[in-house]
């Protein structure tokens, strides 16, 4: 007699910030005909997650519950996992984790209670894992995963880097939409950033035709606004530090047509940014012709030449000032990011950054303040967390009171301490 097809439920902890990764991964699952017997579920809080898992197990499904998190949200994700496990009452559920923290701190993530970790980019790995579950095979042998055996780490390779055109940017069939990722990876490899660690220090661009295809899908679904995910907006279409404005214009023209007649294009703003050396009158004029945003996110990071060089930012202070001035002249409000408490900072470096914040705000910019967090997977993983003294806090408070500074630098200071407290010695 033919076997009854196995029913598999993938239950995603669809909460901030993991939901952004799951919007993409759900698209990868729904686009694979071999996984048509996998049902997807998107609970938005731990109570609904537990209820969904119980319901699907009791209905006879094999259940895979998944979490994706950054280092800052590792603690809350572990708390949710523990809370759910304590209430499963013996139900058998495969609990998996992925994302930048799970990739960088695989052993720590498994020791926290997850059954499997997807190491690296997740699209191919998740598809392969679910195919094994459907076939009744051991998911622990999936390429790109890791698990514990007798307390020791067992890893089967690293998740394959994807060609973006091969996967949807969101899960349209499940009405889970988001910004379209147009570039993955970053050649700049700033020492505090996890992006080049997770996705390699090179650019992989989604093609214009593919981006336009998914923009049309968004518009058909009634979405009017289109945003993009990229580590550096004006690097689209180039393999290196150069700017290819022809490629950027081809992209913006295509998506403008795809979102017609009344779509709004947001480019160079959240959730992406613009490098300061890429801000030129020509680039700004091009953006002005197509985009709906009146602001640009510009990465400044420090007002100290010494710290900019140490972090390998690839630009100097005056380039940041020039970018802000040009943006204002071009009709955009520059929102300039800064990180305080970077490794090696001395009082003179902090003063230089605070002075630059004031100088930029006098030009018409807004400044976005961050506290340095020693993120796993980066060269600064073992550095001390950023700490802001009373004098620095006072100057930041003054800028904030004038409406010139925004951000979560206080909360990030607490998170930085928590990340540092959890880290384990590097494997020898």
């Amino acid at each position: 007699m033919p076997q009854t097809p196995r029913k598999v439920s993938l239950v995603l902890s669809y909460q901030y910030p993991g939901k952004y990764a799951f919007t993409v991964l759900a698209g990868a699952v729904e686009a694979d005909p071999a996984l048509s017997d996998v049902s997807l579920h998107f609970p938005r809080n731990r109570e609904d997650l537990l209820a969904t898992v119980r319901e699907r197990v009791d209905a006879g499904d094999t259940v895979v519950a998944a979490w994706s998190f950054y280092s800052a949200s590792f603690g809350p994700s572990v708390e949710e996992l523990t809370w759910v496990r304590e209430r499963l009452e013996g139900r058998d559920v495969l609990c998996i984790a992925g994302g930048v923290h799970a990739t960088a701190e695989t052993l720590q993530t498994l020791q926290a209670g997850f059954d499997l970790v997807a190491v690296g980019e997740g699209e191919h790995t998740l598809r392969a894992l679910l195919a094994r579950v459907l076939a009744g095979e051991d998911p622990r042998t999936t390429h790109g995963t890791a698990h514990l055996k007798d307390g020791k780490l067992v890893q089967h390779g690293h998740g394959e880097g994807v060609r973006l055109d091969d996967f949807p940017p969101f899960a349209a069939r499940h009405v889970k939409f988001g910004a379209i990722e147009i570039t993955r990876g970053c050649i700049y490899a700033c020492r505090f950033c996890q992006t080049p660690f997770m996705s390699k220090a090179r650019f992989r661009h989604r093609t214009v035709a593919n981006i336009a295809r998914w923009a049309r899908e968004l518009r058909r679904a009634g979405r009017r606004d289109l945003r993009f995910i990229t580590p550096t907006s004006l690097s689209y279409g180039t393999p290196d530090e150069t700017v290819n404005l022809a490629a950027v214009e081809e992209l913006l023209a295509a998506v403008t047509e795809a979102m017609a007649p009344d779509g709004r294009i947001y480019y160079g703003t959240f959730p992406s940014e613009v490098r300061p050396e890429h801000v030129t009158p020509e680039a700004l004029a091009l953006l002005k012709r197509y985009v709906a945003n009146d602001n640009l996110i510009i990465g400044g990071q420090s007002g100290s030449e010494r710290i900019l060089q140490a972090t390998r930012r690839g630009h100097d202070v005056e380039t940041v000032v020039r970018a802000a001035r040009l943006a204002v002249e071009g009709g955009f409000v520059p929102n300039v990011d800064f990180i305080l408490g970077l490794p090696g900072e001395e009082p003179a470096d902090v003063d230089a950054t605070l002075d630059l914040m004031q100088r930029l705000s006098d030009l018409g910019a807004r400044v976005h303040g961050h506290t340095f967090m020693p993120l796993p997977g980066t060269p600064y993983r073992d550095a001390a967390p950023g700490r802001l003294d009373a004098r620095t806090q006072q100057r930041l408070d003054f800028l904030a009171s004038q409406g010139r500074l925004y951000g979560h630098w206080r909360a990030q200071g607490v998170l930085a301490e928590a990340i540092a407290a959890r880290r384990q010695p590097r494997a020898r």
Side-chain angles (χ1 to χ4, degrees), residues 216-375:
R216 288 190 291 272
E217 188 72 33
L218 266 178
R219 197 70 194 93
R220 278 195 293 269
R223 266 55 178 186
R224 184 181 175 197
D225 295 347
L226 176 59
R227 300 178 187 272
F228 304 91
I229 297 172
T230 168
T232 158
S233 297
L234 291 175
S235 293
Y236 180 76
T238 180
D240 52 31
E241 293 87 352
T242 60
V243 172
N244 184 345
L245 289 183
V248 175
E249 180 159 26
E250 182 186 2
L251 164 63
L252 293 176
V255 296
T256 297
E257 181 181 356
M259 296 293 288
D262 59 350
R264 295 182 295 200
I265 312 302
Y266 293 85
Y267 198 83
T269 188
F270 182 82
S272 61
E273 67 172 47
V274 176
R275 286 186 60 85
E277 70 270 29
H278 293 169
V279 178
T280 63
E282 296 78 14
L284 293 167
L286 170 60
L287 294 178
K288 204 67 179 175
R289 288 200 295 273
Y290 290 100
V291 305
N293 46 293
D294 61 2
N295 69 92
L296 295 176
I297 306 295
I298 299 173
Q301 313 313 356
S302 179
S304 163
E305 301 287 8
R306 189 177 69 84
I307 295 298
L308 287 175
Q309 291 178 10
T311 56
R312 299 181 183 172
R313 274 295 295 169
H315 61 78
D316 60 12
V317 171
E318 282 307 309
T319 300
V320 179
V321 176
R322 179 177 181 272
R325 182 182 293 113
L326 287 173
V328 171
E329 292 172 355
F332 292 94
V333 176
N335 288 257
V336 187
D337 281 328
F338 286 97
I339 305 173
L340 290 153
L342 283 161
E345 266 192 350
E346 297 177 359
D349 301 307
V350 177
D351 286 343
T353 295
L354 294 168
D355 290 346
L356 181 58
M357 287 180 165
Q358 182 69 57
R359 182 181 176 189
L360 294 177
S361 67
D362 290 343
L363 289 174
R366 296 185 72 210
V367 287
H368 188 191
H370 304 268
T371 297
F372 166 72
M373 293 187 284
L375 298 175

Side-chain angles (χ1 to χ4, degrees), residues 177-190:
F177 294 101
I180 296 178
E181 185 180 19
I182 59 173
T183 301
R184 187 174 291 186
C186 184
I187 65 170
Y188 292 97
C190 302

